[in-house]
Amino acid sequence: MSVFLIIVAYFFHKISVNKDDLDQRFAGIRETTHFKGVIWSMGAALVLIYIRTIFKVVDTAAGFGSKVIHTEIPFCVFDGGFCILAVLLLSVFYPGFSFKKTKYVIQIEKEVVSNEKDH
């Protein structure tokens, strides 16, 4: 998961640095507040799940007789709370809402249909 986090961070860094190289047909979607929320919520959910994973590694490494596994509040916060928060973030900022039938998506669909007719 650490490798995945590094790759995702690198990907988002490259996108933010090279905004001019992105397909301009989708610029309208990328500039919406909801789409920016989608990106931030995915990042936040990823970090929350990563912290939860670290907690579970510590929890499991300490064994079944340790204080960590028998302390209810950290377990509820790190195990259940972080998962619930990640799910809520991804539900509120559902990516599909950003790609609803906007003029940009309709334009691309028309281009695809016209290209299919040409071939």
Short mmCIF file of all heavy atoms in Angstrom, two decimals, residues 11-78:
data_model
loop_
_atom_site.label_atom_id
_atom_site.label_comp_id
_atom_site.label_asym_id
_atom_site.label_seq_id
_atom_site.Cartn_x
_atom_site.Cartn_y
_atom_site.Cartn_z
N PHE A 11 1.61 10.50 -9.50
CA PHE A 11 0.64 10.74 -10.58
C PHE A 11 -0.03 12.10 -10.43
O PHE A 11 -0.10 12.88 -11.36
CB PHE A 11 -0.39 9.61 -10.60
CG PHE A 11 -1.50 9.81 -11.58
CD1 PHE A 11 -1.28 9.62 -12.94
CD2 PHE A 11 -2.76 10.19 -11.16
CE1 PHE A 11 -2.30 9.80 -13.86
CE2 PHE A 11 -3.79 10.38 -12.07
CZ PHE A 11 -3.55 10.18 -13.42
N PHE A 12 -0.53 12.40 -9.23
CA PHE A 12 -1.20 13.67 -9.01
C PHE A 12 -0.23 14.85 -9.13
O PHE A 12 -0.60 15.92 -9.59
CB PHE A 12 -1.93 13.69 -7.67
CG PHE A 12 -3.22 12.93 -7.69
CD1 PHE A 12 -3.44 11.88 -6.83
CD2 PHE A 12 -4.21 13.27 -8.58
CE1 PHE A 12 -4.63 11.17 -6.87
CE2 PHE A 12 -5.41 12.57 -8.63
CZ PHE A 12 -5.61 11.52 -7.77
N HIS A 13 1.00 14.64 -8.71
CA HIS A 13 2.01 15.68 -8.88
C HIS A 13 2.25 15.97 -10.35
O HIS A 13 2.29 17.13 -10.77
CB HIS A 13 3.31 15.27 -8.19
CG HIS A 13 4.46 16.18 -8.52
ND1 HIS A 13 4.54 17.46 -8.02
CD2 HIS A 13 5.54 15.99 -9.31
CE1 HIS A 13 5.64 18.03 -8.50
NE2 HIS A 13 6.26 17.16 -9.28
N LYS A 14 2.40 14.92 -11.16
CA LYS A 14 2.63 15.10 -12.59
C LYS A 14 1.44 15.78 -13.26
O LYS A 14 1.62 16.62 -14.14
CB LYS A 14 2.90 13.75 -13.27
CG LYS A 14 4.23 13.14 -12.91
CD LYS A 14 5.37 14.04 -13.26
CE LYS A 14 6.05 13.59 -14.50
NZ LYS A 14 7.21 14.41 -14.85
N ILE A 15 0.24 15.44 -12.86
CA ILE A 15 -0.95 16.07 -13.43
C ILE A 15 -0.99 17.55 -13.05
O ILE A 15 -1.29 18.40 -13.90
CB ILE A 15 -2.23 15.36 -12.97
CG1 ILE A 15 -2.37 14.04 -13.70
CG2 ILE A 15 -3.45 16.21 -13.21
CD1 ILE A 15 -3.56 13.24 -13.29
N SER A 16 -0.71 17.87 -11.81
CA SER A 16 -0.79 19.27 -11.38
C SER A 16 0.30 20.12 -12.04
O SER A 16 0.08 21.30 -12.31
CB SER A 16 -0.71 19.38 -9.87
OG SER A 16 0.55 18.97 -9.40
N VAL A 17 1.45 19.54 -12.33
CA VAL A 17 2.53 20.28 -12.97
C VAL A 17 2.27 20.45 -14.47
O VAL A 17 2.60 21.48 -15.05
CB VAL A 17 3.88 19.56 -12.72
CG1 VAL A 17 4.98 20.15 -13.56
CG2 VAL A 17 4.24 19.64 -11.25
N ASN A 18 1.68 19.44 -15.10
CA ASN A 18 1.49 19.44 -16.55
C ASN A 18 0.03 19.63 -16.95
O ASN A 18 -0.48 18.93 -17.82
CB ASN A 18 2.01 18.13 -17.14
CG ASN A 18 3.47 17.92 -16.85
OD1 ASN A 18 4.26 18.83 -16.99
ND2 ASN A 18 3.83 16.73 -16.42
N LYS A 19 -0.64 20.59 -16.37
CA LYS A 19 -2.06 20.82 -16.67
C LYS A 19 -2.31 21.15 -18.14
O LYS A 19 -3.34 20.81 -18.69
CB LYS A 19 -2.63 21.93 -15.79
CG LYS A 19 -2.82 21.53 -14.36
CD LYS A 19 -3.44 22.65 -13.57
CE LYS A 19 -3.60 22.20 -12.13
NZ LYS A 19 -4.17 23.23 -11.29
N ASP A 20 -1.36 21.81 -18.77
CA ASP A 20 -1.54 22.20 -20.17
C ASP A 20 -1.48 21.01 -21.12
O ASP A 20 -1.99 21.09 -22.24
CB ASP A 20 -0.47 23.22 -20.58
CG ASP A 20 -0.60 24.52 -19.80
OD1 ASP A 20 -1.73 24.83 -19.36
OD2 ASP A 20 0.42 25.21 -19.64
N ASP A 21 -0.89 19.91 -20.69
CA ASP A 21 -0.77 18.73 -21.54
C ASP A 21 -2.01 17.83 -21.49
O ASP A 21 -2.10 16.86 -22.24
CB ASP A 21 0.46 17.90 -21.15
CG ASP A 21 1.75 18.65 -21.41
OD1 ASP A 21 1.74 19.58 -22.25
OD2 ASP A 21 2.77 18.32 -20.78
N LEU A 22 -2.94 18.12 -20.59
CA LEU A 22 -4.13 17.30 -20.45
C LEU A 22 -5.11 17.60 -21.58
O LEU A 22 -5.08 18.67 -22.19
CB LEU A 22 -4.80 17.57 -19.11
CG LEU A 22 -3.94 17.25 -17.87
CD1 LEU A 22 -4.67 17.69 -16.62
CD2 LEU A 22 -3.60 15.77 -17.80
N ASP A 23 -5.97 16.66 -21.87
CA ASP A 23 -6.97 16.82 -22.92
C ASP A 23 -7.91 17.98 -22.57
O ASP A 23 -8.62 17.93 -21.56
CB ASP A 23 -7.76 15.51 -23.08
CG ASP A 23 -8.61 15.48 -24.33
OD1 ASP A 23 -8.90 16.56 -24.88
OD2 ASP A 23 -8.98 14.38 -24.76
N GLN A 24 -7.89 19.01 -23.38
CA GLN A 24 -8.66 20.22 -23.09
C GLN A 24 -10.17 20.02 -23.24
O GLN A 24 -10.95 20.84 -22.78
CB GLN A 24 -8.17 21.36 -23.97
CG GLN A 24 -6.75 21.79 -23.64
CD GLN A 24 -6.56 22.13 -22.17
OE1 GLN A 24 -7.33 22.87 -21.58
NE2 GLN A 24 -5.54 21.56 -21.55
N ARG A 25 -10.59 18.94 -23.88
CA ARG A 25 -12.03 18.68 -23.99
C ARG A 25 -12.65 18.42 -22.62
O ARG A 25 -13.83 18.63 -22.42
CB ARG A 25 -12.29 17.48 -24.90
CG ARG A 25 -11.91 17.71 -26.34
CD ARG A 25 -12.17 16.49 -27.16
NE ARG A 25 -11.33 15.41 -26.68
CZ ARG A 25 -11.41 14.15 -27.11
NH1 ARG A 25 -12.29 13.81 -28.01
NH2 ARG A 25 -10.60 13.22 -26.63
N PHE A 26 -11.83 17.98 -21.67
CA PHE A 26 -12.33 17.67 -20.34
C PHE A 26 -12.04 18.77 -19.33
O PHE A 26 -12.25 18.59 -18.14
CB PHE A 26 -11.73 16.35 -19.84
CG PHE A 26 -12.04 15.20 -20.74
CD1 PHE A 26 -11.07 14.66 -21.57
CD2 PHE A 26 -13.32 14.66 -20.78
CE1 PHE A 26 -11.34 13.60 -22.41
CE2 PHE A 26 -13.60 13.59 -21.62
CZ PHE A 26 -12.62 13.07 -22.44
N ALA A 27 -11.53 19.89 -19.79
CA ALA A 27 -11.18 20.99 -18.88
C ALA A 27 -12.39 21.47 -18.09
O ALA A 27 -12.26 21.80 -16.91
CB ALA A 27 -10.55 22.14 -19.67
N GLY A 28 -13.55 21.52 -18.72
CA GLY A 28 -14.75 21.96 -18.02
C GLY A 28 -15.12 21.07 -16.85
O GLY A 28 -15.56 21.54 -15.81
N ILE A 29 -14.92 19.77 -17.02
CA ILE A 29 -15.21 18.84 -15.93
C ILE A 29 -14.18 18.98 -14.83
O ILE A 29 -14.51 19.01 -13.64
CB ILE A 29 -15.24 17.38 -16.46
CG1 ILE A 29 -16.42 17.20 -17.41
CG2 ILE A 29 -15.32 16.38 -15.31
CD1 ILE A 29 -16.44 15.88 -18.13
N ARG A 30 -12.89 19.07 -15.20
CA ARG A 30 -11.82 19.18 -14.22
C ARG A 30 -11.92 20.44 -13.37
O ARG A 30 -11.43 20.47 -12.25
CB ARG A 30 -10.46 19.14 -14.91
CG ARG A 30 -10.05 17.79 -15.37
CD ARG A 30 -8.59 17.77 -15.77
NE ARG A 30 -8.25 18.75 -16.78
CZ ARG A 30 -8.25 18.53 -18.10
NH1 ARG A 30 -8.59 17.34 -18.56
NH2 ARG A 30 -7.92 19.48 -18.93
N GLU A 31 -12.53 21.48 -13.90
CA GLU A 31 -12.60 22.76 -13.19
C GLU A 31 -13.80 22.88 -12.27
O GLU A 31 -13.90 23.85 -11.53
CB GLU A 31 -12.59 23.90 -14.20
CG GLU A 31 -11.27 24.02 -14.94
CD GLU A 31 -11.32 24.96 -16.12
OE1 GLU A 31 -12.39 25.59 -16.35
OE2 GLU A 31 -10.31 25.07 -16.83
N THR A 32 -14.70 21.91 -12.28
CA THR A 32 -15.87 21.98 -11.41
C THR A 32 -15.47 21.73 -9.95
O THR A 32 -14.52 21.02 -9.67
CB THR A 32 -16.95 20.97 -11.81
OG1 THR A 32 -16.44 19.64 -11.66
CG2 THR A 32 -17.42 21.19 -13.24
N THR A 33 -16.24 22.33 -9.07
CA THR A 33 -15.99 22.17 -7.64
C THR A 33 -16.17 20.72 -7.22
O THR A 33 -15.39 20.20 -6.41
CB THR A 33 -16.94 23.07 -6.83
OG1 THR A 33 -16.79 24.41 -7.28
CG2 THR A 33 -16.65 22.99 -5.35
N HIS A 34 -17.17 20.06 -7.78
CA HIS A 34 -17.43 18.67 -7.40
C HIS A 34 -16.28 17.76 -7.81
O HIS A 34 -15.88 16.89 -7.04
CB HIS A 34 -18.74 18.17 -8.01
CG HIS A 34 -19.14 16.85 -7.44
ND1 HIS A 34 -18.72 15.66 -7.97
CD2 HIS A 34 -19.91 16.54 -6.36
CE1 HIS A 34 -19.21 14.67 -7.26
NE2 HIS A 34 -19.94 15.18 -6.28
N PHE A 35 -15.74 17.95 -8.98
CA PHE A 35 -14.63 17.10 -9.43
C PHE A 35 -13.40 17.31 -8.55
O PHE A 35 -12.71 16.35 -8.20
CB PHE A 35 -14.28 17.37 -10.89
CG PHE A 35 -13.26 16.42 -11.43
CD1 PHE A 35 -13.61 15.12 -11.76
CD2 PHE A 35 -11.95 16.82 -11.60
CE1 PHE A 35 -12.67 14.23 -12.24
CE2 PHE A 35 -11.00 15.94 -12.08
CZ PHE A 35 -11.36 14.64 -12.40
N LYS A 36 -13.14 18.56 -8.17
CA LYS A 36 -12.03 18.82 -7.25
C LYS A 36 -12.28 18.14 -5.91
O LYS A 36 -11.37 17.61 -5.28
CB LYS A 36 -11.82 20.32 -7.09
CG LYS A 36 -11.28 20.97 -8.34
CD LYS A 36 -11.16 22.47 -8.19
CE LYS A 36 -10.70 23.08 -9.50
NZ LYS A 36 -10.62 24.53 -9.45
N GLY A 37 -13.55 18.15 -5.48
CA GLY A 37 -13.91 17.43 -4.25
C GLY A 37 -13.70 15.94 -4.38
O GLY A 37 -13.29 15.28 -3.42
N VAL A 38 -13.97 15.39 -5.57
CA VAL A 38 -13.75 13.96 -5.82
C VAL A 38 -12.27 13.63 -5.63
O VAL A 38 -11.91 12.67 -4.95
CB VAL A 38 -14.22 13.57 -7.24
CG1 VAL A 38 -13.72 12.18 -7.63
CG2 VAL A 38 -15.72 13.65 -7.35
N ILE A 39 -11.41 14.45 -6.22
CA ILE A 39 -9.97 14.22 -6.12
C ILE A 39 -9.51 14.30 -4.67
O ILE A 39 -8.78 13.42 -4.19
CB ILE A 39 -9.19 15.22 -7.00
CG1 ILE A 39 -9.59 15.08 -8.47
CG2 ILE A 39 -7.69 15.06 -6.81
CD1 ILE A 39 -9.36 13.72 -9.06
N TRP A 40 -9.93 15.33 -3.96
CA TRP A 40 -9.52 15.49 -2.56
C TRP A 40 -10.10 14.38 -1.68
O TRP A 40 -9.42 13.89 -0.78
CB TRP A 40 -9.93 16.86 -2.03
CG TRP A 40 -8.98 17.93 -2.49
CD1 TRP A 40 -9.20 18.83 -3.50
CD2 TRP A 40 -7.67 18.17 -2.01
NE1 TRP A 40 -8.09 19.63 -3.66
CE2 TRP A 40 -7.14 19.25 -2.77
CE3 TRP A 40 -6.88 17.60 -1.03
CZ2 TRP A 40 -5.86 19.75 -2.55
CZ3 TRP A 40 -5.60 18.10 -0.82
CH2 TRP A 40 -5.10 19.17 -1.57
N SER A 41 -11.34 13.98 -1.93
CA SER A 41 -11.94 12.92 -1.11
C SER A 41 -11.25 11.57 -1.36
O SER A 41 -11.09 10.78 -0.44
CB SER A 41 -13.44 12.82 -1.34
OG SER A 41 -13.72 12.37 -2.64
N MET A 42 -10.86 11.32 -2.60
CA MET A 42 -10.12 10.08 -2.87
C MET A 42 -8.78 10.08 -2.15
O MET A 42 -8.38 9.06 -1.58
CB MET A 42 -9.91 9.90 -4.37
CG MET A 42 -11.13 9.46 -5.11
SD MET A 42 -10.71 9.18 -6.84
CE MET A 42 -12.27 8.59 -7.43
N GLY A 43 -8.11 11.22 -2.17
CA GLY A 43 -6.84 11.32 -1.46
C GLY A 43 -7.01 11.15 0.03
O GLY A 43 -6.26 10.43 0.69
N ALA A 44 -8.03 11.80 0.58
CA ALA A 44 -8.29 11.70 2.02
C ALA A 44 -8.69 10.27 2.40
O ALA A 44 -8.22 9.74 3.42
CB ALA A 44 -9.39 12.67 2.42
N ALA A 45 -9.53 9.63 1.59
CA ALA A 45 -9.93 8.25 1.87
C ALA A 45 -8.73 7.32 1.82
O ALA A 45 -8.59 6.42 2.66
CB ALA A 45 -11.00 7.80 0.88
N LEU A 46 -7.85 7.54 0.88
CA LEU A 46 -6.65 6.73 0.75
C LEU A 46 -5.77 6.88 2.00
O LEU A 46 -5.28 5.88 2.55
CB LEU A 46 -5.88 7.12 -0.50
CG LEU A 46 -4.68 6.29 -0.86
CD1 LEU A 46 -5.08 4.83 -1.11
CD2 LEU A 46 -4.02 6.85 -2.11
N VAL A 47 -5.59 8.10 2.46
CA VAL A 47 -4.79 8.34 3.67
C VAL A 47 -5.46 7.73 4.89
O VAL A 47 -4.78 7.11 5.74
CB VAL A 47 -4.53 9.85 3.85
CG1 VAL A 47 -3.93 10.15 5.22
CG2 VAL A 47 -3.63 10.38 2.75
N LEU A 48 -6.77 7.87 5.00
CA LEU A 48 -7.49 7.28 6.15
C LEU A 48 -7.34 5.76 6.18
O LEU A 48 -7.08 5.18 7.24
CB LEU A 48 -8.97 7.66 6.10
CG LEU A 48 -9.31 9.10 6.42
CD1 LEU A 48 -10.76 9.41 6.07
CD2 LEU A 48 -9.04 9.39 7.90
N ILE A 49 -7.48 5.12 5.03
CA ILE A 49 -7.35 3.67 4.98
C ILE A 49 -5.90 3.25 5.25
O ILE A 49 -5.64 2.23 5.87
CB ILE A 49 -7.85 3.12 3.62
CG1 ILE A 49 -9.35 3.43 3.45
CG2 ILE A 49 -7.59 1.64 3.48
CD1 ILE A 49 -10.25 2.87 4.53
N TYR A 50 -4.96 4.07 4.80
CA TYR A 50 -3.55 3.78 5.06
C TYR A 50 -3.25 3.85 6.55
O TYR A 50 -2.57 2.97 7.11
CB TYR A 50 -2.67 4.76 4.28
CG TYR A 50 -1.20 4.44 4.35
CD1 TYR A 50 -0.70 3.29 3.74
CD2 TYR A 50 -0.31 5.27 5.00
CE1 TYR A 50 0.64 2.99 3.79
CE2 TYR A 50 1.03 4.97 5.05
CZ TYR A 50 1.51 3.83 4.45
OH TYR A 50 2.84 3.52 4.50
N ILE A 51 -3.76 4.88 7.24
CA ILE A 51 -3.57 4.99 8.69
C ILE A 51 -4.23 3.81 9.39
O ILE A 51 -3.67 3.24 10.33
CB ILE A 51 -4.13 6.33 9.21
CG1 ILE A 51 -3.29 7.49 8.66
CG2 ILE A 51 -4.16 6.36 10.73
CD1 ILE A 51 -3.90 8.85 8.89
N ARG A 52 -5.41 3.42 8.94
CA ARG A 52 -6.09 2.26 9.50
C ARG A 52 -5.24 1.01 9.32
O ARG A 52 -5.13 0.18 10.23
CB ARG A 52 -7.45 2.06 8.84
CG ARG A 52 -8.17 0.83 9.34
CD ARG A 52 -9.30 0.43 8.39
NE ARG A 52 -9.92 -0.79 8.84
CZ ARG A 52 -9.58 -2.00 8.43
NH1 ARG A 52 -8.59 -2.16 7.57
NH2 ARG A 52 -10.19 -3.08 8.89
N THR A 53 -4.64 0.87 8.16
CA THR A 53 -3.80 -0.30 7.90
C THR A 53 -2.59 -0.33 8.83
O THR A 53 -2.23 -1.40 9.34
CB THR A 53 -3.34 -0.29 6.42
OG1 THR A 53 -4.50 -0.26 5.59
CG2 THR A 53 -2.50 -1.50 6.09
N ILE A 54 -1.99 0.82 9.04
CA ILE A 54 -0.85 0.89 9.99
C ILE A 54 -1.32 0.47 11.38
O ILE A 54 -0.64 -0.29 12.07
CB ILE A 54 -0.24 2.30 9.99
CG1 ILE A 54 0.44 2.58 8.66
CG2 ILE A 54 0.74 2.46 11.15
CD1 ILE A 54 0.86 4.02 8.48
N PHE A 55 -2.49 0.96 11.79
CA PHE A 55 -3.04 0.58 13.10
C PHE A 55 -3.26 -0.93 13.17
O PHE A 55 -2.94 -1.57 14.18
CB PHE A 55 -4.36 1.31 13.37
CG PHE A 55 -5.06 0.83 14.61
CD1 PHE A 55 -4.61 1.21 15.87
CD2 PHE A 55 -6.15 -0.03 14.53
CE1 PHE A 55 -5.24 0.76 17.01
CE2 PHE A 55 -6.79 -0.49 15.67
CZ PHE A 55 -6.33 -0.09 16.91
N LYS A 56 -3.80 -1.52 12.11
CA LYS A 56 -4.05 -2.96 12.12
C LYS A 56 -2.75 -3.75 12.16
O LYS A 56 -2.70 -4.81 12.79
CB LYS A 56 -4.87 -3.37 10.88
CG LYS A 56 -6.29 -2.84 10.89
CD LYS A 56 -7.06 -3.21 12.12
CE LYS A 56 -7.44 -4.67 12.15
NZ LYS A 56 -8.18 -5.04 13.37
N VAL A 57 -1.71 -3.26 11.52
CA VAL A 57 -0.40 -3.94 11.59
C VAL A 57 0.13 -3.91 13.01
O VAL A 57 0.58 -4.93 13.54
CB VAL A 57 0.60 -3.30 10.60
CG1 VAL A 57 2.01 -3.79 10.87
CG2 VAL A 57 0.20 -3.60 9.17
N VAL A 58 0.06 -2.75 13.65
CA VAL A 58 0.50 -2.63 15.05
C VAL A 58 -0.37 -3.50 15.94
O VAL A 58 0.13 -4.21 16.84
CB VAL A 58 0.45 -1.15 15.50
CG1 VAL A 58 0.67 -1.03 17.00
CG2 VAL A 58 1.47 -0.34 14.73
N ASP A 59 -1.66 -3.47 15.71
CA ASP A 59 -2.63 -4.26 16.48
C ASP A 59 -2.32 -5.76 16.38
O ASP A 59 -2.26 -6.47 17.37
CB ASP A 59 -4.02 -3.96 15.95
CG ASP A 59 -5.13 -4.64 16.71
OD1 ASP A 59 -4.92 -4.98 17.89
OD2 ASP A 59 -6.23 -4.80 16.14
N THR A 60 -2.10 -6.22 15.17
CA THR A 60 -1.84 -7.64 14.94
C THR A 60 -0.45 -8.05 15.44
O THR A 60 -0.28 -9.13 16.01
CB THR A 60 -1.96 -7.96 13.44
OG1 THR A 60 -3.23 -7.49 12.99
CG2 THR A 60 -1.84 -9.43 13.17
N ALA A 61 0.54 -7.18 15.26
CA ALA A 61 1.91 -7.50 15.68
C ALA A 61 2.02 -7.62 17.19
O ALA A 61 2.84 -8.39 17.70
CB ALA A 61 2.88 -6.44 15.16
N ALA A 62 1.19 -6.86 17.90
CA ALA A 62 1.25 -6.89 19.36
C ALA A 62 0.65 -8.17 19.94
O ALA A 62 0.90 -8.50 21.10
CB ALA A 62 0.54 -5.66 19.93
N GLY A 63 -0.14 -8.89 19.17
CA GLY A 63 -0.73 -10.14 19.64
C GLY A 63 -2.06 -9.94 20.34
O GLY A 63 -2.47 -8.82 20.62
N PHE A 64 -2.73 -11.05 20.62
CA PHE A 64 -4.07 -10.99 21.20
C PHE A 64 -4.08 -10.63 22.67
O PHE A 64 -5.12 -10.27 23.21
CB PHE A 64 -4.80 -12.32 21.00
CG PHE A 64 -5.21 -12.55 19.57
CD1 PHE A 64 -4.56 -13.51 18.80
CD2 PHE A 64 -6.21 -11.81 19.00
CE1 PHE A 64 -4.94 -13.72 17.49
CE2 PHE A 64 -6.59 -12.00 17.68
CZ PHE A 64 -5.94 -12.97 16.93
N GLY A 65 -2.96 -10.69 23.34
CA GLY A 65 -2.91 -10.35 24.76
C GLY A 65 -2.50 -8.93 25.04
O GLY A 65 -2.36 -8.53 26.19
N SER A 66 -2.30 -8.12 24.02
CA SER A 66 -1.78 -6.77 24.21
C SER A 66 -2.87 -5.79 24.60
O SER A 66 -4.06 -6.04 24.44
CB SER A 66 -1.09 -6.30 22.94
OG SER A 66 -2.06 -6.04 21.95
N LYS A 67 -2.43 -4.62 25.09
CA LYS A 67 -3.36 -3.55 25.43
C LYS A 67 -4.03 -2.98 24.18
O LYS A 67 -5.18 -2.56 24.23
CB LYS A 67 -2.63 -2.42 26.14
CG LYS A 67 -2.26 -2.68 27.55
CD LYS A 67 -1.66 -1.41 28.13
CE LYS A 67 -1.06 -1.64 29.48
NZ LYS A 67 -0.47 -0.40 30.01
N VAL A 68 -3.28 -2.95 23.08
CA VAL A 68 -3.78 -2.33 21.87
C VAL A 68 -5.06 -3.00 21.40
O VAL A 68 -6.04 -2.33 21.05
CB VAL A 68 -2.70 -2.39 20.75
CG1 VAL A 68 -3.25 -1.83 19.45
CG2 VAL A 68 -1.46 -1.64 21.17
N ILE A 69 -5.08 -4.31 21.41
CA ILE A 69 -6.25 -5.03 20.90
C ILE A 69 -7.43 -4.98 21.87
O ILE A 69 -8.58 -5.13 21.47
CB ILE A 69 -5.87 -6.48 20.55
CG1 ILE A 69 -6.85 -7.04 19.52
CG2 ILE A 69 -5.82 -7.36 21.77
CD1 ILE A 69 -6.37 -8.28 18.84
N HIS A 70 -7.15 -4.73 23.14
CA HIS A 70 -8.23 -4.73 24.13
C HIS A 70 -8.68 -3.32 24.52
O HIS A 70 -9.50 -3.16 25.42
CB HIS A 70 -7.79 -5.50 25.38
CG HIS A 70 -7.62 -6.95 25.13
ND1 HIS A 70 -8.66 -7.79 24.85
CD2 HIS A 70 -6.50 -7.73 25.07
CE1 HIS A 70 -8.23 -9.01 24.65
NE2 HIS A 70 -6.91 -9.00 24.76
N THR A 71 -8.16 -2.29 23.87
CA THR A 71 -8.57 -0.92 24.14
C THR A 71 -9.62 -0.54 23.10
O THR A 71 -9.33 -0.50 21.91
CB THR A 71 -7.36 0.04 24.08
OG1 THR A 71 -6.32 -0.49 24.89
CG2 THR A 71 -7.75 1.41 24.56
N GLU A 72 -10.82 -0.28 23.57
CA GLU A 72 -11.95 -0.13 22.66
C GLU A 72 -11.96 1.18 21.88
O GLU A 72 -12.26 1.18 20.69
CB GLU A 72 -13.25 -0.24 23.46
CG GLU A 72 -14.47 -0.33 22.59
CD GLU A 72 -15.72 -0.63 23.40
OE1 GLU A 72 -15.62 -1.05 24.55
OE2 GLU A 72 -16.80 -0.43 22.83
N ILE A 73 -11.61 2.29 22.51
CA ILE A 73 -11.70 3.58 21.83
C ILE A 73 -10.77 3.68 20.62
O ILE A 73 -11.22 4.02 19.53
CB ILE A 73 -11.49 4.74 22.82
CG1 ILE A 73 -12.66 4.78 23.81
CG2 ILE A 73 -11.37 6.08 22.09
CD1 ILE A 73 -12.51 5.77 24.92
N PRO A 74 -9.47 3.37 20.76
CA PRO A 74 -8.63 3.42 19.55
C PRO A 74 -9.10 2.45 18.47
O PRO A 74 -9.05 2.77 17.28
CB PRO A 74 -7.24 3.03 20.05
CG PRO A 74 -7.25 3.33 21.49
CD PRO A 74 -8.66 3.11 21.94
N PHE A 75 -9.59 1.29 18.88
CA PHE A 75 -10.09 0.33 17.90
C PHE A 75 -11.28 0.90 17.13
O PHE A 75 -11.33 0.82 15.91
CB PHE A 75 -10.49 -0.98 18.59
CG PHE A 75 -11.10 -1.97 17.66
CD1 PHE A 75 -10.32 -2.71 16.80
CD2 PHE A 75 -12.48 -2.15 17.62
CE1 PHE A 75 -10.88 -3.62 15.92
CE2 PHE A 75 -13.06 -3.06 16.75
CZ PHE A 75 -12.25 -3.80 15.89
N CYS A 76 -12.23 1.51 17.85
CA CYS A 76 -13.41 2.08 17.20
C CYS A 76 -13.04 3.25 16.29
O CYS A 76 -13.57 3.37 15.19
CB CYS A 76 -14.43 2.54 18.24
SG CYS A 76 -15.24 1.18 19.09
N VAL A 77 -12.11 4.07 16.73
CA VAL A 77 -11.72 5.24 15.94
C VAL A 77 -10.94 4.82 14.71
O VAL A 77 -11.28 5.17 13.57
CB VAL A 77 -10.89 6.23 16.79
CG1 VAL A 77 -10.27 7.31 15.92
CG2 VAL A 77 -11.75 6.85 17.87
N PHE A 78 -9.87 4.04 14.91
CA PHE A 78 -8.98 3.70 13.80
C PHE A 78 -9.55 2.63 12.87
O PHE A 78 -9.29 2.65 11.68
CB PHE A 78 -7.61 3.25 14.31
CG PHE A 78 -6.79 4.37 14.86
CD1 PHE A 78 -6.56 4.48 16.21
CD2 PHE A 78 -6.25 5.32 14.01
CE1 PHE A 78 -5.80 5.52 16.72
CE2 PHE A 78 -5.50 6.37 14.51
CZ PHE A 78 -5.27 6.47 15.87
#
